[in-house]
Amino acid sequence: MKANQTQRQEMLKQQRDNQSSRSSAVKLIEEWAPGAENSRETQRRARLWMEQGQHCLYTGQPISPQAALSSVTEIDHILPRSATLDNSLANSALVMASANQDKGDRTIFEWGGPAKAQEVVDRAKSMGLRRGKIAKLGREHVDAESIPESLVVTTGYINAVARDYVENLTGVTPEVTRGRLTAHMRYRLGLSKDQTDHRRHALD
């Protein structure tokens, strides 16, 4: 009971923090990019910029508000998304475009070696970033065959990835259906669902 109450309090605090972060991001966009589309991507940029103390996480260079919302910077997946499927803010960093392009589809350790990884970890600590993100920054390698169970336990995650993909391709945000409709379609098509096979989520 105590553990559940503590978890609920932590979740409520996280929700409040997220709402505050989103509100601050909207204000930043309105101030520095008037008329710009207040999109999910733009809000992510603004939130990461504030979280990182207005600096590039990889180079330490200061990032102006204008640069944060322009092609001068890019959002990088700290651990390659191709290996982790992780598109969360906890696996994202707003960095100089040149650094992101040089890093490519690698961990920071694979990109710059142990010294670079430690430099970025130390910078993240000084910024007060969360321990989970710092752990990702210091990770040496990612097994491309291994997808974290936390990212495939629900069809909802797959839906979110598909939604983002379609949005990037078309500029239109599609509506994501509920699992009940997916189950109905699977039944009508005569498709079985093996609960022991994580690929069932891709099938959904």
Side-chain angles (χ1 to χ4, degrees), residues 13-29 38-55 68-69 75 88-90 92-94 129-130 133:
K13 181 181 183 302
Q14 185 64 52
Q15 290 172 354
R16 288 193 296 269
D17 290 345
N18 287 341
Q19 183 58 47
S20 175
S21 177
R22 283 191 290 268
S23 298
S24 298
V26 170
K27 291 178 182 177
L28 179 74
I29 295 165
N38 187 15
S39 65
R40 181 169 176 265
E41 170 75 8
T42 308
Q43 286 190 25
R44 284 169 66 90
R45 282 174 164 270
R47 292 177 68 181
L48 289 167
W49 179 75
M50 291 183 290
E51 177 186 88
Q52 296 170 196
Q54 306 171 22
H55 284 75
L69 302 174
I75 295 179
S88 67
L89 285 176
S92 302
L94 184 70
L129 300 189
R130 294 178 180 274
K133 177 170 279 191

Side-chain angles (χ1 to χ4, degrees), residues 15-129:
Q15 290 172 354
R16 288 193 296 269
D17 290 345
N18 287 341
Q19 183 58 47
S20 175
S21 177
R22 283 191 290 268
S23 298
S24 298
V26 170
K27 291 178 182 177
L28 179 74
I29 295 165
E30 290 174 347
E31 180 178 357
W32 293 101
E37 182 183 1
N38 187 15
S39 65
R40 181 169 176 265
E41 170 75 8
T42 308
Q43 286 190 25
R44 284 169 66 90
R45 282 174 164 270
R47 292 177 68 181
L48 289 167
W49 179 75
M50 291 183 290
E51 177 186 88
Q52 296 170 196
Q54 306 171 22
H55 284 75
C56 172
L57 191 54
Y58 294 170
T59 67
Q61 292 176 255
I63 297 176
S64 69
Q66 298 92 332
L69 302 174
S70 76
S71 60
V72 173
T73 57
E74 294 177 351
I75 295 179
D76 179 54
H77 293 101
I78 297 168
L79 298 180
R81 189 177 183 183
S82 60
T84 64
L85 302 181
D86 189 352
N87 191 39
S88 67
L89 285 176
N91 189 45
S92 302
L94 184 70
V95 299
M96 303 306 293
S98 56
N100 184 32
Q101 292 159 15
D102 189 40
K103 174 177 175 285
D105 199 26
R106 296 177 288 179
T107 66
I108 297 171
F109 185 95
E110 292 167 337
W111 166 45
K116 181 64 175 180
Q118 188 59 52
E119 172 198 322
V120 176
V121 165
D122 291 341
R123 184 175 297 119
K125 288 179 179 178
S126 70
M127 292 174 175
L129 300 189

Side-chain angles (χ1 to χ4, degrees), residues 153-167:
V153 292
T154 64
T155 304
Y157 180 78
I158 301 298
N159 286 345
V161 171
R163 178 200 61 207
D164 292 347
Y165 184 66
V166 172
E167 183 178 18

